[in-house]
Every structure is written in C-alpha cells, then in structure tokens.
Amino acid sequence: MTEKKDLDWGSLDFSYRKTDYSYVSNYKDGAWDEGALTSDHTIALSECAGIFHYCQEVFEGLKAYTTQDGRIVCFRPDMNAQRMADSAERLVMPAFPQDRFVEAVEQVVRANAAWVPPFGSGATLYVRPLMIATGDVIGVKPATEYQFRILVTPVGPYFKGGDTAVKLCVSPYDRAAPHGTGNIKAGLNYAMSLKPGMDAHAAGYAENLYLDSESRTYVEETGGANVLFVDRDGVLVVPVSHTDSILPSITRRSLVQVAQDLGIAVDERPVAWTEVVSGAFVECGLCGTAAVISPVGEIHDGDTVVVFEDGHESSGPVMRRLRETLTGIQAGTIEDVHGWVRTICS
Ligand SMILES: *Cc1c(COP(=O)(O)O)cnc(C)c1O
C-alpha cells in the first residue's frame, strides 16, 4: 500500500488542492491522442480557444475512496463516461471514448493513491473529468481541437453540518431553458446559477430550488443536486421534467434502484410546486455524488413556508435508510448486488 500523504484528513474542506498527477488527452485532426498522466496542473491556451468565446465545456464529478477492507474504489464510473459523452454530443464536442474514460479514471486515481483519504475519515478523492474546446474559433462554430483532462483533489464532506437539515428558497431565476442544456453537465449551467446562488446564501438559504422555466409550475432541482420527496404513504417521489431540463443524477438513479431493492415504492413523475405547498410530502432531500442525500427541512417561497415534518432537523426515516444503504454499498459493508463499486487498487 502506498504511503499516504501527511494530511489532516478529518478536517479537509471542499476546496482544490494540487495532487501529484492529472490525466490529459488532446483531440486533433479528428482523433484523440493516446493520453498520459502529467504533473503539470496548468493549461496554456490560445487566446482564441473556443472555450473562451462560446463556452464549449462539459465536466463530470465522481469520487474515489477507501472501503472498509482497504480497497480504493470508485462508484459507477461507466455512468459518468456515458453522461459525459451525452453532454459532449449536445455541445458538438467529440466524446471521449467511454472505455478509455473509465481506464483514465483508474489510471489517475492509482497514480494518486497516496491522496485517497483513509476509510472512516469522511473525506474522498474527488475526481473531476472535464473537456474544453482548445482550437481557435472566432466565427460562431464548434472548435476542431479539444482537451480532455481529469484532475483529482482530496475533499472533506460537501456539507459541513453533517446530517443537519438545510433550508431552500424557490428561486426567482430560472436554471435551465425548456429543452435547453439543463440535462447535461456543462459549466455554462453553473455560470448563470452563481448569482441566484449567492443571493440565496446571502438570504440565509443553502440553495435555490428551481421551478420549470416554461410554466413555473413544476419542481425541477437545485443548482447542483436533484431533489427527492417522501409522501405520507412512504412513497419515494422523484420529480420528472416535462421539458427535459433536470440533470440525470447518478446518485438519484442509484437511490431509485436501492429504494426498489428495499421494497420502498417509487413514483417518478412531474411534481407541482402547489402539491409541495399543500403538505403532501413529509421528507425532502437533495442528492448528488458529494453528499449522497442531504436533508431539506424547509422550503421558502416569499411568505410561503413548507415544512417537512419527518425531516425537519435531520434526515427522516426513509431518506436515512436510503442513504445508509447506498453509503453501505459504497463502503463495502452492504453487498453490492448491482456491481456498482469498481475496485481500482486492492
Ligand atoms: C452533477 C449534478 C447533479 C448530481 O449528479 P450526480 O451524478 O448524482 O453527482 C445534480 N444536478 C446538477 C445540476 C448537477 O450538475
């Protein structure tokens, strides 16, 4: 086993720290090169590179971590490979081949094994694949050259408060246009959610809840996490978008499968904001790679306050059970019947 770096794993926050290696591959003349590890954590680009002008950028996020029995693993990297290919296609970027994506994740995590936090620390090695247009573009069109890169960085838990329920507010802004780019992982979706996010934080909220921008009727998601509800019959209710503007969270899709495995009923359907206001739901949670599920205790919309009775202070019973099951599968303490956990080093 590699000797670990001398870090205080328990007190890491969610910020960037350079590690030993990143992975890089360049696309030119219609093909990806063979790709390699690099210890250069900078990128030198032409001022005319497409990324700077028309924002051709897509990214992914997953984590590598240590299981109870000491393996370094990651969770469903094939799903990130697929989603990044889908994101790239939407922005007319060449997909990085999916098998090579998974190999590159393994290669860069292995090379940085000393940076993978130990089991039980709560920390993980965050893996951030990204792709940018590097070729010169001045007229509006897709570039002909691209860079695919993976950086890794050790991070602590995303939400410092642990299992403390957070408050959301309904945003006066929209996150994604109907049939736009809300269903892909593109940096441009985040650029425009920064102001609403800062406003929400300044007003004391953890995040914004966005409604569908076509009718402002249905619940979509927050700036960076999908939302889940539990109704009064214990059914897990998962919002679906009429306008295809919810990001397909891998955590959410995994939790739906976990719920089915546990015999929890799942209803995936459009969820009207008025239904949330009517008190139909007793639990609410946000899901994503970083936090798995974090509990939402209240959602405010002007003077309207929705309180989730069974998860007001911390996770309610259904969310808790889902989170404990999924994190148990991830940690290797619960059997991984679907083959989701991929061993990188044992
Ligand atoms: C990445 C992301 C999520 C969470 O997806 P996971 O695959 O579960 O990490 C949710 N919403 C948005 C907008 C995202 O960018």
Side-chain angles (χ1 to χ4, degrees):
M1 196 75 194
T2 354
E3 180 133 8
K4 293 289 177 189
K5 298 287 171 180
D6 184 22
L7 293 183
D8 182 5
W9 304 104
S11 61
L12 290 174
D13 57 7
F14 203 89
S15 60
Y16 174 64
R17 176 187 297 262
K18 270 187 229 151
T19 59
D20 293 336
Y21 298 101
S22 291
Y23 176 90
V24 64
S25 177
N26 291 297
Y27 181 91
K28 196 177 175 178
D29 300 327
W32 289 103
D33 68 15
E34 62 189 15
L37 296 175
T38 176
S39 55
D40 184 355
H41 299 288
T42 64
I43 308 176
L45 289 176
S46 161
E47 64 189 2
C48 209
I51 175 60
F52 300 131
H53 304 277
Y54 307 121
C55 212
Q56 273 185 297
E57 188 266 357
V58 295
F59 69 100
E60 273 303 324
L62 65 159
K63 58 193 181 187
Y65 53 96
T66 309
T67 55
Q68 194 170 39
D69 61 2
R71 287 172 298 137
I72 293 176
V73 302
C74 61
F75 186 71
R76 306 188 78 181
D78 52 311
M79 299 286 275
N80 298 94
Q82 173 71 59
R83 189 170 63 188
M84 194 170 191
D86 294 343
S87 299
E89 202 251 319
R90 178 66 177 78
L91 297 190
V92 205
M93 303 169 82
F96 193 72
Q98 292 178 39
D99 50 341
R100 288 192 56 196
F101 177 106
V102 175
E103 285 164 20
V105 167
E106 292 180 343
Q107 190 182 351
V108 72
V109 170
R110 221 175 267 129
N112 290 292
W115 294 94
V116 180
F119 178 77
S121 61
T124 59
L125 187 73
Y126 187 70
V127 179
R128 164 57 58 85
L130 62 124
M131 193 198 295
I132 55 172
T134 52
D136 290 342
V137 169
I138 195 78
V140 178
K141 61 173 187 298
T144 57
E145 294 176 14
Y146 294 87
Q147 183 168 112
F148 170 77
R149 185 174 265 268
I150 306 177
L151 68 85
V152 300
T153 190
V155 294
Y158 193 72
F159 290 106
K160 282 228 192 65
D163 190 46
T164 310
V166 300
K167 288 186 180 136
L168 309 182
C169 60
V170 174
S171 181
Y173 295 95
D174 294 324
R175 188 188 84 89
H179 313 289
T181 55
N183 61 348
I184 63 164
K185 222 166 165 73
L188 54 87
N189 291 331
Y190 279 79
M192 35 132 319
S193 71
L194 290 176
K195 178 173 165 52
M198 296 301 283
D199 289 355
H201 293 160
Y205 299 102
E207 260 290 359
N208 281 295
L209 178 70
Y210 292 97
L211 303 183
D212 79 286
S213 55
E214 185 176 71
S215 68
R216 295 196 148 252
T217 301
Y218 296 98
V219 171
E220 293 220 312
E221 62 171 319
T222 67
N226 283 183
V227 42
L228 302 171
F229 297 100
V230 175
D231 75 12
R232 292 183 179 275
D233 298 321
V235 176
L236 181 70
V237 177
V238 183
V240 165
S241 167
H242 289 297
T243 53
D244 216 10
S245 37
I246 294 178
L247 195 282
S249 158
I250 295 165
T251 313
R252 182 249 298 166
R253 288 178 279 168
S254 304
L255 289 165
V256 164
Q257 181 66 57
V258 164
Q260 286 162 344
D261 295 347
L262 291 172
I264 296 170
V266 178
D267 194 5
E268 298 188 77
R269 60 172 171 83
V271 174
W273 171 242
T274 51
E275 185 182 355
V276 180
V277 172
S278 77
F281 303 117
V282 291
E283 293 182 48
C284 178
L286 299 182
C287 65
T289 293
V292 182
I293 309 184
S294 51
V296 175
E298 292 179 12
I299 308 178
H300 294 209
D301 179 18
D303 294 337
T304 305
V305 176
V306 179
V307 172
F308 299 101
E309 320 173 349
D310 292 349
H312 190 229
E313 312 305 326
S314 60
S315 290
V318 177
M319 297 290 179
R320 183 182 305 275
R321 195 165 165 226
L322 289 173
R323 186 183 55 224
E324 283 173 0
T325 307
L326 187 58
T327 55
I329 293 169
Q330 291 180 337
T333 56
I334 294 178
E335 194 191 352
D336 174 24
V337 292
H338 300 288
W340 286 342
V341 177
R342 189 169 177 110
T343 302
I344 295 175
C345 320
S346 46

